[in-house]
Amino acid sequence: MKRTVLTAFALIFALSAEASATELLPAVPPIPADNTMTSEKVELGKMLFFDPRLSSTGAVSCASCHNPAFAFTDRLPLALGHKHQAGPRNTPTVLNSAFLTSQFWDGRAATLEEQALGPVQAEVEMNETLENMVRKLKAIPAYAERFKQVFGGKDPVTPENTAKAMAAFERTLITTNSPFDRFLMGDEGAISADAKKGWELFRNKGCTACHNGPNFTNGGFFRIQVPGSTDLGRFEVTGNEDDKYKFRVQTLRNVALTYPYFNNGSVASLSDAVKIMSREMLGVQATDKEAALITEFLRTLTGEMPRVDVPVLP
Ligand code: HEC
Ligand code: HEC
C-alpha cells in the first residue's frame, strides 16, 4: 500500500514537472488592466522605442542596445550607451520579456512599465532627465497629437504614459511557433533526433528545476558567479546577505541568437554556457557530447521573429 502511494506521488510529481516544463509559448502575454493594448498605443510605443531623442545626446535609443536585427540585444559582452561608455551588465533580449515576473538581471523592476524609464535616466545608457524627455516630446507636434489620441486628457505627454506605450509595444515582441513549440504540438519531425536527446538530458539533469514554463524561467533568483564577475546581483536591490551574487533565471527562448551569455556577457559559446550551468547549478560536469546535445535542443527554442517595421519618426 505504502509503495503504491509513493509511486502515485512520484507519478504526480513527474507529471506536474513535465507539464510545467513543456508549455507552449502563448501568442498573447499577460496584459495589466491599467495598460490595455490598442494598435495606436503599440505604434506610439514602437516610435518611442526607436527614437534616439529620448536620450540626452539624441544618439541612443532603446533599439541601439535592443536591436531587432540581433534578436533585440546588441551582441556585445557589456552594453555600450551614453558616449560609448560600457555599462556593468550584458543587454538581455526584450523578446518575450512580457512573460517575465520581474525585469533586469537582478529583478529590480516588477513590470515593463516600471522598467522603461530606467534606461532613459541611467547615466551609462541614455543619460536623460524625464523633464527633458517630456519637454522634447511635447515640442514635436506629431507626438503631442499621438499621445492625445492614445491617452486623452489635458496633459497626456507624461513619463508614465511614455512608459505605458513602450511597454505595450514590448508586449507584441513574442516569438511563437519555434520548432520546439511545433514538436510540443505533436509534430515529431519539427526537431532533430539529437535535439530530442538534448531535451531529455535537459529534463533529466534538472535544468527544468529553474528553466521551466512557457518562457523557460521560473522567475527565481539563484546564486551564480559567472567567469570574471564581481557583480553582487540581487543583493544590490534587497540588501539581504542571502541575495549576494543571485541573479534571475534567464529565459532560454531564442538563446541561440542572444549571445554572448550571462549577466556580464563573459561566455560566447552556447555549449560553454551549458557546461558552466551544469557545473555551477547542478554540481555535475556535462561531457562535450551532452553539452552538444543540450545545445542542439536549445537551438529549437528560436521562434518566429515578430515583424517590426522600423517606424518613420516625425
Ligand atoms: C545602453 C544600452 C541600453 C539601452 C539604450 C536600453 N537598454 Fe534595456 N537593457 C540594457 C541592459 C544592460 C539591461 C540589463 C540591465 C540590468 O539588469 O541591470 C537592460 C534590460 C532591459 C529590460 C529587462 C529585460 C530582462 O530580461 O530583464 C527591458 C525590458 C529593457 N531593457 C527595455 C529597454 C527600453 C524600453 C529601453 C529604452 C527606453 C532600453 N531598454 C534601453 C541595455 C540597454
Ligand atoms: C538553480 C537554477 C538553475 C538551474 C538548475 C539551471 N539554470 Fe541556467 N540559469 C540560471 C540563472 C540564475 C541564470 C542567469 C545567470 C546570470 O546571471 O548570468 C541562468 C542562465 C542560463 C543560460 C544563459 C542565458 C543567457 O541568456 O545568458 C543558459 C544557456 C542556461 N542557463 C542553461 C542551463 C542549462 C542547460 C541547465 C541545465 C544543465 C541550467 N541552465 C540549469 C539558473 C539555473
Side-chain angles (χ1 to χ4, degrees):
M1 180 60 200
K2 204 169 171 196
R3 212 192 143 122
T4 0
V5 171
L6 269 181
T7 319
F9 265 120
L11 187 67
I12 288 163
F13 179 75
L15 284 174
S16 57
E18 180 82 346
S20 67
T22 56
E23 283 173 49
L24 291 178
L25 188 68
V28 181
I31 298 166
D34 66 350
N35 194 18
T36 50
M37 279 166 78
T38 61
S39 52
E40 290 81 8
K41 194 188 281 177
V42 168
E43 186 60 25
L44 173 59
K46 180 166 83 174
M47 292 168 78
L48 294 164
F49 190 89
F50 279 93
D51 199 329
R53 287 170 295 185
L54 266 59
S55 68
S56 63
T57 55
V60 186
S61 72
C62 309
S64 304
C65 299
H66 302 285
N67 182 342
F70 285 155
F72 289 84
T73 63
D74 52 17
R75 297 258 164 99
L76 298 167
L78 299 172
L80 281 184
H82 181 65
K83 298 202 170 147
H84 297 275
Q85 297 172 80
R89 290 183 182 157
N90 173 259
T91 305
T93 182
V94 294
L95 289 169
N96 308 307
S97 56
F99 294 103
L100 295 174
T101 46
S102 70
Q103 303 293 326
F104 291 120
W105 289 100
D106 53 19
R108 68 184 177 278
T111 62
L112 286 173
E113 282 79 359
E114 207 182 307
Q115 191 283 330
L117 300 174
V120 174
Q121 301 170 87
E123 203 210 318
V124 292
E125 298 197 351
M126 296 159 87
N127 192 39
E128 185 56 295
T129 64
L130 297 181
E131 299 86 76
N132 275 341
M133 178 193 78
V134 164
R135 191 179 45 73
K136 287 189 281 184
L137 289 174
K138 278 185 177 166
I140 301 167
Y143 268 132
E145 189 51 41
R146 277 181 190 264
F147 271 88
K148 205 169 142 195
Q149 261 173 22
V150 172
F151 295 103
K154 256 210 160 79
D155 190 19
V157 187
T158 61
E160 292 69 35
N161 286 343
T162 306
K164 280 185 171 175
M166 288 196 287
F169 166 62
E170 290 173 305
R171 289 196 177 93
T172 66
L173 304 177
I174 312 292
T175 60
T176 53
N177 208 30
S178 68
F180 183 70
D181 289 297
R182 294 204 300 274
F183 169 70
L184 285 185
M185 284 186 290
D187 180 356
E188 281 287 325
I191 70 174
S192 68
D194 278 355
K196 284 175 202 168
K197 286 185 202 148
W199 168 226
E200 214 173 289
L201 281 169
F202 187 81
R203 279 178 300 167
N204 292 345
K205 280 188 168 285
C207 308
T208 44
C210 299
H211 296 285
N212 60 37
N215 204 16
F216 284 84
T217 162
N218 65 2
F221 296 89
F222 294 91
R223 186 177 293 244
I224 177 167
Q225 251 185 310
V226 296
S229 173
T230 51
D231 196 324
L232 292 172
R234 183 83 178 145
F235 174 78
E236 288 177 6
V237 185
T238 64
N240 291 342
E241 274 305 303
D242 227 34
D243 286 334
K244 270 194 180 158
Y245 310 110
K246 282 190 181 170
F247 292 88
R248 194 201 61 216
V249 179
Q250 243 349 54
T251 177
L252 298 180
R253 292 271 174 193
N254 310 298
V255 72
L257 301 177
T258 58
Y259 56 90
Y261 302 108
F262 299 130
N263 64 69
N264 63 353
S266 58
V267 174
S269 115
L270 186 50
S271 60
D272 287 349
V274 168
K275 283 188 187 166
I276 290 171
M277 271 285 136
S278 183
R279 196 180 63 219
E280 287 283 314
M281 296 311 207
L282 301 166
V284 287
Q285 296 286 347
T287 64
D288 287 346
K289 177 75 184 160
E290 286 171 334
L293 291 171
I294 292 176
T295 301
E296 201 52 35
F297 154 64
L298 292 175
R299 287 185 198 290
T300 70
L301 299 178
T302 301
E304 284 174 6
M305 290 298 125
R307 250 203 90 109
V308 177
D309 297 320
V310 177
V312 178
L313 299 176

